[in-house]
Amino acid sequence: SSPHLVQVRERIRINGQPISKDLFNKYFWLVYNRLEETKDPAHASMPAYFRFLTIMAFHVFLQEKVDLAVVEVGIGGTYDCTNIIRAPVVCGVSSLGIDHTSILGDTMEKIAWQKGGIFKPGVPAFTVAQPERPLEVLRERAQERKCPLYLCPELDDFEEGCRPLELGLAGAHQRSNAALALQLARMWLLRRGCQGLGELKEVPPSTELLGRPVPLAPAFQLTDAMIQGLRDTEWLGRTQVLSHGPVTWYLDGAHTTSSIQACVRWFRQAALNQDKPHDGSEVRVLLFNATGDRDTAALLKLLVPCHFDYAVFCPNITEVSVANNADQQNFNVTLENALTRCLENQRTWTRLLEEKVGQDPWLPSPLRVGGLLQPAPARGSLLLVPPAPRPLNSPALVFPCLAQALRWVAQGRDPHLAAPAASGAHPHPAASSGAVLLREAAAVRVLVTGSLHLVGGALRLLVPALSQ
């Protein structure tokens, strides 16, 4: 799977656990040296990062003799390097969203065409409820490739006559993921000779799929192991809550409009429906970054209704003052480019809030913020606040790295994070007044979203054990 959150070994797991450092080291050099020895002298380049790790993953699974490999595509499907598998047991396409538009296309239909590229002749494929036109494209691709395609029934259909299923993952959108997982697991179990799991109706080759509804796969009696599996599923960085004393971190790697919408629904349910503290105030903070060709203005607009007191922007860089963890470094993006993107996000957020002034009685009284703050070498801390011709309602701050952003938000109240430097670290009124509010609030609720890499960096700092 990709991307990883904290360590690259997370991408290659056996029995749910990342392979050990020793195994990773052994297989990395084995594959690297084999490729080095056999490469074409005329085209002497090695495979790129993702392709190399894909080759290595397949090698690990073969050498370690796994019974079943679950392979997530990288980007798209049709031209993705994972798509060299000719005869998988089953294929699945989850809920489609607009992402990686420069590679996959800028419409849901184009993206559906790319995703349908993983369909294989005679290999059953499943998808979940999709908008009408993208579903038609998937149907057409299935027909082209002589692949029987089925629609997953809703999770509700499995619950008829029994108690509601408990999901280990929060958020309503995880119900469709669970329904898809059940169908994929069922196909593997049938291959293994398990009985009593419902039979799929075969679609005769002569039957035109085009223009007809995709046949519905059956709901079936779940085994105890399936029920337990759904309940015990954990997925770091997706609808994850970390309660660290008065500071509660809500982490979700959403980075498309549809996933941000799902994230907002989850955050409102998980955080904003909580009772306000009896003994004091609650402060809400957004920590955001986005990468690639994503429309950050569209993503930020969806987050405005959560009524954050502060919006904090920083690059996906854990710490600028020390050597970075190479697993979390993107060598394609400079710090300057990343900070420029953060400043653009900051301006966008400010503009969105200014447009909202007067429309929303909830917003607090304006706090005037001025001028761009230049870094002072003695301070060792960089804080950027936008010039504001008009008053702002929700201060937006930029920090050069995650460590500084998290320390400012936590104000020494999270035992995993050191307190921010006291002397002159927050010379700007917005940061200084915010620090006071954050220190005195009975509850601080922080949503970290917009990028899985941002969430991974936050997890590395908030849960140090993940780096072991």
Side-chain angles (χ1 to χ4, degrees):
S1 63
S2 64
H4 61 272
L5 291 170
V6 178
Q7 297 193 70
V8 68
R9 296 181 296 110
E10 297 165 30
R11 294 174 182 239
I12 305 173
R13 296 170 179 258
I14 297 178
N15 294 330
Q17 296 302 311
I19 60 172
S20 69
K21 289 179 181 178
D22 287 345
L23 266 189
F24 188 92
N25 188 46
K26 169 187 162 183
Y27 286 122
F28 177 92
W29 288 113
L30 202 152
V31 172
Y32 185 92
N33 292 333
R34 187 79 54 83
L35 289 170
E36 186 69 41
E37 291 159 11
T38 57
K39 68 187 180 186
D40 182 347
H43 305 93
S45 62
M46 294 290 273
Y49 183 80
F50 183 82
R51 290 184 177 196
F52 181 91
L53 288 172
T54 302
I55 294 166
M56 182 176 154
F58 289 144
H59 186 71
V60 170
F61 295 150
L62 288 166
Q63 294 301 308
E64 295 296 312
K65 298 181 170 52
V66 301
D67 304 295
L68 167 69
V70 180
V71 179
E72 183 202 26
V73 301
I75 293 176
T78 299
Y79 303 117
D80 191 77
C81 64
T82 57
N83 201 27
I84 61 166
I85 300 171
R86 295 177 188 174
V89 172
V90 61
C91 296
V93 176
S94 58
S95 186
L96 297 171
I98 298 282
D99 198 15
H100 302 294
T101 51
S102 60
I103 299 170
L104 303 182
D106 54 3
T107 67
M108 292 276 274
E109 290 80 4
K110 290 175 183 174
I111 289 169
W113 187 90
Q114 295 278 2
K115 301 285 185 185
I118 67 169
F119 296 159
K120 301 290 185 288
V123 173
F126 295 86
T127 190
V128 296
Q130 310 280 8
E132 184 180 359
R133 183 60 196 131
L135 185 60
E136 282 176 16
V137 173
L138 288 176
R139 202 187 295 151
E140 289 161 10
R141 291 287 269 162
Q143 186 188 29
E144 278 170 28
R145 292 171 166 262
K146 298 180 173 55
C147 158
L149 175 66
Y150 302 93
L151 199 60
C152 294
E154 300 288 335
L155 208 55
D156 298 6
D157 296 342
F158 291 90
E159 296 174 334
E160 285 179 13
C162 64
R163 62 184 180 191
L165 292 165
E166 270 183 69
L167 298 188
L169 301 177
H173 57 292
Q174 296 294 357
R175 289 181 67 81
S176 79
N177 288 337
L180 179 59
L182 287 171
Q183 295 295 339
L184 301 182
R186 174 188 170 283
M187 289 310 299
W188 167 247
L189 290 167
L190 285 177
R191 171 74 72 92
R192 297 288 296 268
C194 295
Q195 301 299 317
L197 292 169
E199 296 306 314
L200 289 176
K201 295 185 176 66
E202 288 298 322
V203 180
S206 58
T207 305
E208 288 285 317
L209 278 176
L210 196 60
R212 294 170 178 266
V214 174
L216 194 66
F220 51 89
Q221 187 72 40
L222 301 187
T223 64
D224 290 344
M226 287 176 164
I227 293 167
Q228 183 183 342
L230 293 177
R231 186 175 61 237
D232 295 347
T233 298
E234 293 178 344
W235 197 4
L236 293 180
R238 278 76 166 183
T239 61
Q240 184 179 3
V241 181
L242 296 174
S243 295
H244 290 183
V247 186
T248 307
W249 305 92
Y250 299 84
L251 302 115
D252 192 75
H255 50 270
T256 66
T257 50
S258 54
S259 60
I260 288 282
Q261 284 169 332
C263 171
V264 166
R265 286 194 296 271
W266 161 71
F267 180 66
R268 287 182 133 172
Q269 183 72 33
L272 307 190
N273 283 356
Q274 302 294 317
D275 292 335
K276 285 284 177 70
H278 296 299
D279 55 345
S281 62
E282 172 187 278
V283 177
R284 299 174 190 169
V285 181
L286 170 67
L287 178 55
F288 180 92
N289 192 38
T291 58
D293 54 8
R294 298 183 174 96
D295 181 354
T296 49
L299 303 184
L300 287 169
K301 188 171 185 178
L302 295 169
L303 290 159
V304 169
C306 291
H307 300 307
F308 292 103
D309 299 295
Y310 293 93
V312 175
F313 302 95
C314 71
N316 298 340
I317 295 167
T318 313
E319 183 79 80
V320 287
S321 59
V322 296
N324 263 296
N325 176 349
D327 283 13
Q328 292 188 303
Q329 198 161 351
N330 184 343
F331 294 96
N332 298 317
V333 180
T334 65
L335 175 59
E336 185 180 3
N337 288 345
L339 274 172
T340 301
R341 182 78 178 264
C342 291
L343 288 166
E344 288 168 1
N345 292 340
Q346 181 191 49
R347 283 192 289 271
T348 300
W349 183 257
T350 304
R351 177 177 53 76
L352 287 167
L353 287 170
E354 288 176 343
E355 288 170 0
K356 200 168 172 58
V357 170
Q359 301 172 20
D360 193 336
W362 186 92
L363 288 169
S365 56
L367 171 65
R368 185 171 291 281
V369 177
L372 186 65
L373 186 70
Q374 296 302 323
R379 212 174 276 138
S381 176
L382 176 69
L383 175 68
L384 301 165
V385 180
R390 295 186 297 284
L392 301 184
N393 288 292
S394 178
L397 312 175
V398 171
F399 290 90
C401 67
L402 255 166
Q404 289 185 24
L406 293 179
R407 284 181 197 131
W408 180 79
V409 171
Q411 287 298 315
R413 303 177 76 190
D414 183 326
H416 297 295
L417 297 169
S423 58
H426 309 309
H428 204 281
S432 302
S433 62
V436 173
L437 283 173
L438 289 162
R439 278 197 298 269
E440 295 180 353
V444 179
R445 304 194 189 282
V446 192
L447 175 62
V448 184
T449 193
S451 160
L452 275 166
H453 303 289
L454 179 78
V455 166
L459 277 170
R460 180 174 171 234
L461 293 165
L462 295 169
V463 188
L466 291 175
S467 300
Q468 302 308 310

